[in-house]
Amino acid sequence: MELNKDCVRDVLLSCEELLKIDEDGYMNSLSHEELGQALPNYKTEDIIYTVVKLKEAGFLDVKVTKAFGNILVDVRIYDITFNGHEFLNDIRDDKNWKKVKDIAKAVGAFSINMIAQIAVGVIQTNISALK
């Protein structure tokens, strides 16, 4: 399955918006179905795949529940990690995101780690331009 880079960004943005701490100090969790309702432009399997890959990359705190070996029962998101927030902050701005995607396409690198490295480079270039 191919990782959709726009889905990566949209999942992180939606998690940031939807994961909240209540008045008692408890953070809600988010199911893949709830995330799917917030992201109707993506197929369920794309959302699940993206969430699992963001978990593997250390950007989301996620529990994947399977039954009978490999049948997916639930994917529940509990939080965005510190590294996830750092990555999201680097790709949040639409202009930066477009530059990141353009560079990734030009070099043919679409892994989460490469996108993160490209995003840092784009931010560093923007900082240098301000000097």
Side-chain angles (χ1 to χ4, degrees):
M1 198 166 177
E2 186 176 328
L3 185 64
N4 181 325
K5 59 194 168 303
D6 287 313
C7 189
V8 166
R9 180 176 182 247
D10 290 340
V11 163
L12 287 170
L13 287 168
S14 293
C15 286
E16 182 180 59
E17 179 183 332
L18 298 171
L19 291 168
K20 303 288 182 200
I21 298 174
D22 68 18
E23 59 276 353
D24 295 324
Y26 292 102
M27 181 174 272
N28 68 310
S29 62
L30 185 61
S31 71
H32 67 274
E33 290 97 350
E34 293 167 318
L35 189 56
Q37 290 172 0
L39 298 169
N41 294 334
Y42 297 104
K43 295 177 186 176
T44 300
E45 56 267 23
D46 289 330
I47 291 171
I48 291 171
Y49 187 74
T50 299
V51 167
V52 169
K53 294 305 160 194
L54 286 168
K55 173 190 184 321
E56 291 172 1
F59 293 155
L60 289 178
D61 179 12
V62 176
K63 182 176 181 192
V64 177
T65 305
K66 295 180 182 180
F68 304 110
N70 214 21
I71 298 172
L72 186 67
V73 176
D74 188 42
V75 175
R76 185 154 298 275
I77 304 159
Y78 291 95
D79 202 359
I80 303 173
T81 67
F82 177 80
N83 288 334
H85 278 291
E86 293 289 302
F87 176 58
L88 178 56
N89 286 332
D90 288 343
I91 62 172
R92 178 184 310 280
D93 180 78
D94 289 335
K95 291 177 190 173
N96 289 344
W97 180 237
K98 182 180 179 335
K99 288 178 188 175
V100 168
K101 290 193 311 181
D102 289 347
I103 293 168
K105 183 177 181 181
V107 298
F110 297 107
S111 71
I112 292 174
N113 286 334
M114 275 312 302
I115 291 171
Q117 288 179 26
I118 293 167
V120 168
V122 167
I123 299 297
Q124 289 172 341
T125 299
N126 290 345
I127 291 169
S128 294
L130 294 174
K131 294 179 181 179

